[in-house]
């Protein structure tokens, strides 16, 4: 029997596919739809200490090759998501989940993480270090000094399983420098990648989203090669305890297969989930299983990270 089961930080997921933060995860109703689908888990919309309206609309647009967004971190507040994932822990036949969060400042991030630490929630947390869309707030993970500072402070008190959501990096030196920092900490995972920040999509003579004069994070087909490169670069550099979640450009079983071949233990779907809805998980799972059957692979371990090079 072909299986797409996977493990992160001791949590077993019956399927390696799930939503990417930001898509189908703003409300309990959306999260419940992912929970009831073939997905192996869900991650919540990134929660901040106080609820946020986000940027003015239009702020998300699908294009032929993907999407552009400048949502601006709209969310119902971290308590809404923390209460929900905690409640689900006590349900029968529940799945392990990911709570995504970040503060509007390092202090606020610590306040939120201490709240999670003091709560009954024992699942995974994804600290979002890569939101590209809050005017005046740079993506944290492009500033290595600040990133190192935040992680060093967090792991003084935070002892539950924690991973980080990363922006794409584009230089080998940056992969090296980032990995050197991440390897110093007991991270459960790194998630590569968030949207490619600050792209511009134009229709006729006008931008397609309102915030930031049209600048926004790019997802979908456009970003798969960048996502795969980041997954593989960190798979090569990080200590084996730090698992990789692959996100970016996944809309077929083949795309998921490639992420796993590059080293991903879990694969997230963003733009394509927005375009197709939660039924996408069953389709892509079947496509991935068909590829595995064809190649004689029974589990993800049979091919994870085993990308071939040309000698
Ligand atoms: O809400 C957003 O604008 C947003 C976030 Br927090 C993120 O991490 N990535 C993204 O593409 N949009």
């Amino acid at each position: 029997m072909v299986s797409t089961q996977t493990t992160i930080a001791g949590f077993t997921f019956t399927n390696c596919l799930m939503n990417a933060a930001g898509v189908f995860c703003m409300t309990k109703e959306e999260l419940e739809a992912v929970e009831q689908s073939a997905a192996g888990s869900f991650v919540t919309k990134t929660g901040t200490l106080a609820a946020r309206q986000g940027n003015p609309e239009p702020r998300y647009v699908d294009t032929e090759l993907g999407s552009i967004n400048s949502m601006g971190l709209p969310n119902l507040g971290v308590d809404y998501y923390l209460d929900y994932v905690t409640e689900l822990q006590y349900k029968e036949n529940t799945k392990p989940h990911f709570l995504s969060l970040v503060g509007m400042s390092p202090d606020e991030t610590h306040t939120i993480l201490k709240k999670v630490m003091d709560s009954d929630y024992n699942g995974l947390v994804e600290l979002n270090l890569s939101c590209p869309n809050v005017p005046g707030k740079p993506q944290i993970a492009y500033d290595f000094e600040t990133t190192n500072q935040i992680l060093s402070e967090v792991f003084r008190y935070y002892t539950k399983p924690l991973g980080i959501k990363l922006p794409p990096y584009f230089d080998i030196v940056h992969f090296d420098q980032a990995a050197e920092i991440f390897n110093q900490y007991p991270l459960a995972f790194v998630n590569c990648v968030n949207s490619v920040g600050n792209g511009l999509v134009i229709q006729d003579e006008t931008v397609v989203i309102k915030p930031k004069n049209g600048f926004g994070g790019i997802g979908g087909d456009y970003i798969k090669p960048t996502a795969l490169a980041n997954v593989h670069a960190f798979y090569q550099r990080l200590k084996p305890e730090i698992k990789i979640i692959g996100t970016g450009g996944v809309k077929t079983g083949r795309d998921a297969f490639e992420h796993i071949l590059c080293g991903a233990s879990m694969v997230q779907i963003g733009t394509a989930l927005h375009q197709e809805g939660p039924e996408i998980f069953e389709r892509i799972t079947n496509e991935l299983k068909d590829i595995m059957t064809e190649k004689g692979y029974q589990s993800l371990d049979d091919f994870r990270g085993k990308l071939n090079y040309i000698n």
Side-chain angles (χ1 to χ4, degrees):
M1 222 6 225
V2 170
S3 164
T4 58
Q5 182 176 304
T6 192
T7 305
I8 292 180
F11 293 92
T12 298
F13 302 86
T14 55
N15 189 5
C16 63
L17 300 175
M18 61 181 289
N19 69 305
V23 181
F24 253 92
C25 59
M26 181 73 84
T27 63
K28 290 180 193 180
E29 290 70 28
E30 288 182 340
L31 290 163
E32 178 68 13
V34 179
E35 181 79 352
Q36 295 306 322
S37 77
S41 181
F42 68 62
V43 57
T44 68
K45 174 65 185 171
T46 302
T48 50
L49 196 56
R52 289 171 53 85
Q53 293 269 320
N55 293 337
E57 295 180 342
R59 58 190 187 178
Y60 178 102
V61 167
D62 283 313
T63 71
E64 210 179 305
L65 296 173
S67 66
I68 184 167
N69 87 84
S70 183
M71 304 297 289
L73 208 28
N75 74 93
L76 298 171
V78 72
D79 284 341
Y80 176 92
Y81 304 106
L82 176 58
D83 290 349
Y84 186 54
V85 291
T86 305
E87 184 186 312
L88 285 184
Q89 283 183 162
Y90 305 110
K91 274 199 155 177
E92 266 179 57
N93 297 322
T94 190
K95 305 168 182 177
H97 300 112
F98 294 75
L99 172 68
S100 173
L101 55 83
V102 74
M104 298 307 292
S105 65
D107 276 354
E108 190 183 305
T109 295
H110 294 311
T111 303
I112 297 171
L113 282 172
K114 283 175 183 165
K115 185 192 270 279
V116 178
M117 195 61 210
D118 292 340
S119 77
D120 291 333
Y121 180 61
N122 287 315
L124 291 146
V125 164
E126 177 173 284
L127 173 60
N128 186 355
L129 297 180
S130 47
C131 176
N133 298 329
V134 180
K137 302 259 179 203
Q139 290 173 78
I140 298 166
Y142 282 147
D143 177 342
F144 290 140
E145 209 177 300
T146 302
T147 297
N148 193 20
Q149 176 76 20
I150 290 173
L151 292 177
S152 73
E153 289 166 3
V154 164
F155 285 111
R156 274 177 216 154
Y157 60 85
Y158 198 84
T159 54
K160 294 179 180 181
L162 177 86
I164 48 180
K165 180 78 172 271
L166 298 176
Y169 298 103
F170 300 95
D171 195 290
I172 301 296
V173 168
H174 294 158
F175 292 136
D176 292 341
Q177 291 172 340
E180 195 183 325
I181 294 168
F182 303 149
N183 274 330
Q184 296 173 44
Y185 300 104
L187 288 163
F189 64 89
V190 300
N191 186 341
C192 308
V193 296
N194 207 319
S195 53
V196 171
N198 295 301
L200 194 52
V201 172
I202 298 169
Q203 219 167 31
D204 189 11
E205 298 183 19
T206 309
V207 300
V208 298
I209 56 172
K210 182 169 178 182
K212 294 171 68 178
N213 287 341
F215 283 60
I218 304 297
D221 295 0
Y222 304 108
I223 76 163
K224 191 178 76 168
T226 293
L228 292 175
N230 277 261
V231 168
H232 197 56
F234 285 109
Y235 183 76
Q236 290 170 313
R237 287 167 177 77
L238 295 182
K239 54 189 180 184
E241 307 93 276
I242 306 181
K243 300 299 174 203
I244 318 284
I245 299 179
T247 307
V250 177
K251 66 175 183 189
T252 66
R254 173 70 203 185
D255 300 324
F257 179 82
E258 290 177 10
H259 269 271
I260 298 160
L261 200 62
C262 286
S265 289
M266 194 111 200
V267 177
Q268 297 186 338
I269 306 175
T271 297
L273 169 61
H274 185 271
Q275 295 174 347
E276 200 173 319
E279 308 79 47
I280 195 172
F281 293 111
E282 191 174 348
R283 175 177 68 76
I284 298 187
T285 305
N286 289 335
E287 291 173 3
L288 175 59
K289 283 184 172 172
D290 286 348
I291 293 168
M292 290 171 66
T293 303
E294 205 175 292
K295 290 177 175 286
Y297 297 143
Q298 295 195 326
S299 74
L300 304 191
D301 287 344
D302 292 344
F303 65 101
R304 182 186 302 106
K306 296 186 179 162
L307 179 65
N308 292 320
Y309 307 135
I310 300 169
N311 290 315

